[in-house]
């Protein structure tokens, strides 16, 4: 959904970020532990550094990744609140409805 100026909503940015398998792979890496930009680039072996940095920029714009400068390195951490917001709004309701349906079938 966009606002009156055509700017994507926060949820749109999160869905766009999650649509890419590479970006989901980066989120999985950061879920394990915080990493430097260089460590993330080294783990995504089939892409060059510039492409990985572009994916990181999309994740940061969506608020899914935080980058903090530590000396000469950027330390990347997962920011789970946007995913929780998506879960609460979309997935949680559907999961509860499915559980209710299964419960009613069991009776």
């Amino acid at each position: 959904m966009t606002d009156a100026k055509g700017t994507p909503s926060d949820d749109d940015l999160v869905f766009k970020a999650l649509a890419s398998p590479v970006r989901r792979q980066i989120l999985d890496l950061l879920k394990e532990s915080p990493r430097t930009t260089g460590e993330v680039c080294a783990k995504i072996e089939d892409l060059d550094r510039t492409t990985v940095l572009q994916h990181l920029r999309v994740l940061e714009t969506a608020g899914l990744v935080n980058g903090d400068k530590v000396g000469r390195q950027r330390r990347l951490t997962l920011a789970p609140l946007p995913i929780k917001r998506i879960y609460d709004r979309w997935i949680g309701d559907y999961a509860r409805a499915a559980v209710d349906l299964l419960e009613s079938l069991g009776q």
Side-chain angles (χ1 to χ4, degrees):
M1 187 182 277
T2 58
D3 65 14
K5 295 180 183 179
T7 305
S9 73
D10 291 343
D11 287 352
D12 290 339
L13 294 173
V14 173
F15 279 117
K16 176 186 174 189
L18 294 174
S20 165
V22 172
R23 292 191 286 268
R24 292 192 305 269
Q25 182 182 4
I26 292 170
L27 291 175
D28 287 340
L29 289 170
L30 296 177
K31 183 174 64 171
E32 294 171 5
S33 67
R35 298 176 190 268
T36 64
T37 304
E39 289 170 336
V40 171
C41 291
K43 291 282 189 179
I44 313 292
E45 298 170 352
D46 52 333
L47 297 177
D48 61 58
R49 182 178 177 87
T50 303
T51 303
V52 174
L53 292 175
Q54 289 172 343
H55 283 289
L56 283 169
R57 197 169 306 116
V58 172
L59 291 168
E60 288 182 277
T61 300
L64 292 165
V65 170
N66 295 319
D68 295 312
K69 197 99 159 131
V70 179
R72 294 177 51 181
Q73 297 180 328
R74 275 187 74 228
R75 194 97 178 128
L76 302 169
T77 57
L78 180 67
L81 288 180
I83 293 174
K84 180 173 182 344
R85 188 179 65 241
I86 295 295
Y87 176 85
D88 290 345
R89 180 173 176 194
W90 296 95
I91 300 166
D93 288 341
Y94 291 108
R96 280 187 290 282
V99 168
D100 291 345
L101 176 63
L102 289 173
E103 185 178 302
S104 68
L105 289 173
Q107 294 177 356

